[in-house]
């Protein structure tokens, strides 16, 4: 068994020390996480925890309006049992509750930092020294069109900071002609 972890910056109660977590793959293919209360009790309250795992191999949508316990294709079911040794035959302490899961997405085709030579790095404002302003140039290619409004999220390594509204003051430049116009001017002058 492993130890379920607290949520960094969480808003709710953390699980008490002494709880353990184990995983079981059911014959049906369902994943079962078992949180066991140790020597301490688990008082009534709203808890949150993190646990590391792996998503399924196949991408799959999560559609609303399905004939499932939560009304979506994928559901997470929570229930509390009096005696874990009896497994599903154990008397339940609370009625079960389900919540929608999430879609498993196909991997983005390509993404990364654009490789820049030294002159282009200087001209675009790339500066990799500690505590210096730095203009990063990324590339990405989606597997499928984003036809609905949505969010493209980019998570960076620890320590990076950006403006809260990253589109203000030319924070994000999406027109490569604009982004590299400065490079052409720089190379004309110093190249």
């Amino acid at each position: 068994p492993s130890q379920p972890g607290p949520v960094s910056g969480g808003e709710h109660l953390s699980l008490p020390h002494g709880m353990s977590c184990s995983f079981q793959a059911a014959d049906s293919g369902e994943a079962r996480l078992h949180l066991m209360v140790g020597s301490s009790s688990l008082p009534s309250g709203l808890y949150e925890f993190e646990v590391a795992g792996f998503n399924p191999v196949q991408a799959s949508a999560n559609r609303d309006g399905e004939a499932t316990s939560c009304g979506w294709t994928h559901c997470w079911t929570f229930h509390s049992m009096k005696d874990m040794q009896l497994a599903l035959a154990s008397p339940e302490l609370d009625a079960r509750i389900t919540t929608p899961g999430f879609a498993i997405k196909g991997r983005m085709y390509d993404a990364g930092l654009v490789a820049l030579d030294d002159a282009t790095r200087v001209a675009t404002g790339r500066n990799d020294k500690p505590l210096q302003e730095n203009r990063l140039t990324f590339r990405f290619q989606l597997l499928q069109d984003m036809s609905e409004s949505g969010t493209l999220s980019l998570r960076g390594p620890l320590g990076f900071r950006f403006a809260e509204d990253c589109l203000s003051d030319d924070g994000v430049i999406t027109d490569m002609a604009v982004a590299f116009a400065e490079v052409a001017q720089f190379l004309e002058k110093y190249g």
Side-chain angles (χ1 to χ4, degrees):
S2 61
Q3 179 70 30
V7 177
S8 177
E11 299 176 13
H12 306 293
L13 297 170
S14 293
L15 294 173
H17 270 55
M19 289 195 71
S20 61
C21 178
S22 67
F23 166 74
Q24 176 187 15
D27 293 337
S28 64
E30 291 178 326
R32 293 189 181 142
L33 285 176
H34 300 285
L35 297 171
M36 284 80 64
V37 177
S39 56
S40 62
S41 64
L42 183 63
S44 175
L46 183 56
Y47 292 89
E48 60 187 2
F49 66 96
E50 287 185 354
V51 63
F54 292 93
N55 289 330
V57 174
Q58 295 294 326
S60 61
N62 193 30
R63 294 183 183 86
D64 190 7
E66 298 284 329
T68 61
S69 57
C70 70
W72 288 78
T73 308
H74 305 293
C75 303
W76 290 92
T77 303
F78 292 79
H79 55 104
S80 56
M81 298 176 286
K82 184 174 178 122
D83 185 352
M84 186 62 203
Q85 302 304 318
L86 298 174
L88 295 177
S90 170
E92 293 190 13
L93 299 174
D94 294 296
R96 294 179 187 209
I97 187 170
T98 59
T99 187
F102 52 91
I104 304 299
K105 305 288 186 182
R107 186 178 178 146
M108 194 178 284
Y109 182 74
D110 182 48
L113 284 161
V114 173
L116 304 173
D117 60 35
D118 288 341
T120 307
R121 289 167 59 91
V122 170
T124 58
R126 176 81 181 265
N127 183 346
D128 295 345
K129 295 178 183 166
L131 297 175
Q132 297 299 306
E133 186 174 326
N134 198 356
R135 295 195 61 85
L136 304 173
T137 308
F138 294 99
R139 70 179 195 295
F140 70 92
Q141 183 177 352
L142 300 176
L143 216 60
Q144 55 189 355
D145 295 344
M146 278 184 81
S147 55
E148 302 171 12
S149 74
T151 301
L152 178 66
S153 181
L154 175 63
R155 186 180 347 192
L158 267 159
F160 278 86
R161 302 254 186 242
F162 295 92
E164 186 173 336
D165 179 1
C166 58
L167 293 175
S168 66
D169 299 323
D170 295 326
V172 173
I173 300 171
T174 58
D175 183 343
M176 293 314 285
V178 172
F180 287 103
E182 295 175 11
V183 173
Q185 291 170 0
F186 178 85
L187 293 176
E188 237 177 66
K189 189 172 183 181
Y190 300 106

